[in-house]
Amino acid sequence: MGRFTTFRFCLDPNVEQEVVLRRHAGAARFGYNQCLRLVKQALDGKRGGTVSKVPWSGFDLINEFNAWKRSAAAGRVLVAAADGTTTVQATGLAWRAEVCQQVFEEAAVDLGRGLAAYTASRNGDRRGRRIGFPRFKSKKRAQLSFRIRSKTSAAGKAGIRIGGHGPRTVTLPGIGTIAVREDTRRLRRMLAKGRAKVLSATVSRRAGRWAVSLTCEAADLHDTARHQPDSGTTWVGVDRGLAAFVVAGRADGTEAARVADWPRPSRTGMARQRRLARAVTRKPPGSRNRAKATARLGRHHGRIAAIRSRFLHKVSNKLVKTHDKLAIETLAITGMLTNRRLAAAVADAAWGELARQITYKQQWRGGHLTSVDRWYPSTKTCAPCRTVNPSMPLEQRTFTCGACGYQADRDLNAAVNLAIWAEQHHPQIRDLHAGGPVTKARRGEGSGPRTRAGETSPNDAGTAPTSPRVRSGRPRRALSHDSTEL
């Protein structure tokens, strides 16, 4: 097993199954909120000196929730005896047996990740925007979703099964067999041949549809689908833009690929989006008509996201399948979104998602990918003579060198310069998943092994804590990218 991948199928549940799915999603939200409530109570107790330890990792939160759900704080009844005396009997969470227990555990794991991100952001170990303290999930606004791990029984039967009661079915523990709309043939073949193993299933409801995402640990791609080592090919620079979505060029000045027409889904559907948004605001809050109008607006956003995702996968597959050495520029997309003239177009292009897809797909196929510094003037540099022009406005689509008179397409010249940069620097091949060279990580101090039946160890929960790297001060924010690079 050499990679992790996800298979997503659209579910087709009946009325009874949809009730069960909603019950599990509500249980996940309840478990998350209760774990967060326990954390806040522990923080208040620590300030008062009554509590010495605050549950912070996912493993500790699971143990705290398991102890709470059986206590009198979760549920209790008064029992009257024959002699007239009454006693309080702890029943715990009465409805906990109606849902799969892994839903509560995975909700605690999610909260543990949020707390870890909050701590890393405060200590300066996390880049990007400042991460705030986790908040409670609203019953009305929270997304309906939950996650279940795949466990193997003593008889060797997996908890999550695909195609057990038909070619288009998925069986989930505690829920049963649900029909899916897509064909599961590819995943069933991989499971039958031992080339894949289902780790977890995430069920979510978006745009009025239920979907299941199966996270799998799969074997490497076949040798015929992977790039051959030491093929002798040259680097190909990939320039992302708005006029031409993607332009790829080699160091010798030849154009390798060009994607000029892109769907622009957000701009194309903006008229309909405004009309649906106005329909929502005209309905009284809390009415059924407002709920129906909100659902229509949500389905529109889901369609826009589906169009964009399909196009990005198509472009990334085209680049990765045909080129084994790619050089892509790191863009400060967050800074570009502050430009009110270009923010809508930049967000519609989803350059960050395209770079993410190229990164993991290139690793799957055994190719090489290097990131060029965002301050490298690829657009303003002449490819033949390496002269840097003082300025390059957006309306100028043809690059003209003032020193040698070289003329070329603006985007192609930038792609060629990216390829030249990769050829000159010969970057060290890096582990794309780790984001750097492979290093031996030291195991952190966990919360201890499993001690009682029904508890989950740190390895099972996937939240074994590691020792964070403490660094004084906060990292400096990256400045906004120069708009001339578009």
Side-chain angles (χ1 to χ4, degrees), residues 15-346:
V15 178
E16 293 79 7
Q17 290 174 343
E18 185 169 0
V19 173
V20 176
L21 293 177
R22 288 181 177 273
R23 183 182 299 125
H24 279 72
R29 178 192 57 82
F30 175 83
Y32 182 93
N33 290 342
Q34 181 58 34
C35 290
L36 182 57
R37 191 175 293 109
L38 294 175
V39 171
K40 290 192 173 184
Q41 291 176 359
L43 289 175
D44 295 338
K46 188 173 183 179
R47 296 188 188 99
T50 59
V51 177
S52 58
K53 182 180 179 181
V54 178
W56 206 257
S57 65
F59 177 64
D60 294 336
L61 290 171
I62 291 175
N63 290 337
E64 288 290 334
F65 183 84
N66 288 338
W68 173 86
K69 71 180 182 180
R70 299 184 181 92
S71 63
R76 56 188 181 273
V77 294
L78 292 176
V79 179
D83 55 357
T85 60
T86 59
T87 58
V88 178
Q89 182 179 355
T91 60
L93 202 60
W95 51 271
R96 67 178 185 269
E98 299 179 5
V99 297
C100 183
Q101 299 303 306
Q102 297 182 18
V103 173
F104 298 117
E105 296 180 0
E106 294 301 317
V109 169
D110 292 339
L111 178 59
R113 292 173 180 172
L115 294 173
Y118 167 73
T119 304
S121 180
R122 291 195 62 183
N123 295 338
D125 297 330
R126 180 186 175 93
R127 294 183 178 180
R129 62 181 180 86
R130 186 75 175 264
I131 303 298
F133 193 80
R135 296 180 294 181
F136 292 102
K137 292 185 177 181
S138 172
K139 187 175 182 179
K140 297 181 179 180
R141 299 181 180 179
Q143 179 186 355
L144 297 178
S145 65
F146 61 92
R147 186 170 62 253
I148 298 178
R149 298 190 310 274
S150 179
K151 290 186 176 181
T152 304
S153 62
K157 193 174 184 180
I160 300 177
R161 299 183 297 276
I162 294 88
H165 298 272
R168 298 193 178 190
T169 57
V170 173
T171 303
L172 302 176
I175 299 176
T177 303
I178 307 177
V180 299
R181 299 186 181 183
E182 294 85 4
D183 189 10
T184 60
R185 183 179 182 182
R186 181 183 178 187
L187 179 57
R188 285 187 285 109
R189 282 189 172 184
M190 295 178 64
L191 294 174
K193 295 181 180 180
R195 293 181 55 84
K197 177 183 178 183
V198 179
L199 301 180
S200 64
T202 302
V203 181
S204 59
R205 188 177 188 274
R206 293 183 179 178
R209 293 184 179 181
W210 288 94
V212 57
S213 299
L214 303 174
T215 303
C216 304
E217 185 181 3
D220 289 332
L221 296 178
H222 195 268
D223 292 340
T224 58
R226 294 173 58 87
H227 297 296
Q228 300 300 325
D230 300 332
S231 58
T233 58
T234 59
W235 286 89
V236 175
V238 178
D239 179 72
R240 294 165 289 177
L242 297 178
F245 186 75
V246 164
V247 176
R250 297 182 178 88
D252 57 359
T254 59
E255 183 177 304
R258 176 182 288 268
V259 180
D261 298 331
W262 54 293
R264 303 177 187 266
S266 181
R267 190 180 72 173
T268 304
M270 184 57 63
R272 177 177 175 82
Q273 178 179 336
R274 290 174 178 172
R275 184 170 64 254
L276 294 176
R278 286 196 299 265
V280 173
T281 57
R282 289 169 181 171
K283 305 297 187 298
S287 63
R288 291 187 177 182
N289 288 335
R290 189 182 182 93
K292 294 178 182 179
T294 304
R296 287 193 293 267
L297 180 60
R299 288 194 295 269
H300 173 75
H301 282 292
R303 181 176 179 274
I304 296 300
I307 295 174
R308 183 183 295 112
S309 177
R310 181 179 179 84
F311 173 74
L312 293 178
H313 278 288
K314 182 179 179 180
V315 174
S316 60
N317 288 336
K318 179 181 179 181
L319 293 174
V320 171
K321 288 181 180 179
T322 55
H323 308 289
D324 60 343
K325 295 180 180 180
L326 294 176
I328 191 169
E329 189 177 12
T330 57
L331 301 176
I333 302 177
T334 304
M336 296 182 187
L337 294 178
T338 59
N339 188 336
R340 63 183 182 88
R341 298 179 181 272
L342 299 175
V346 172

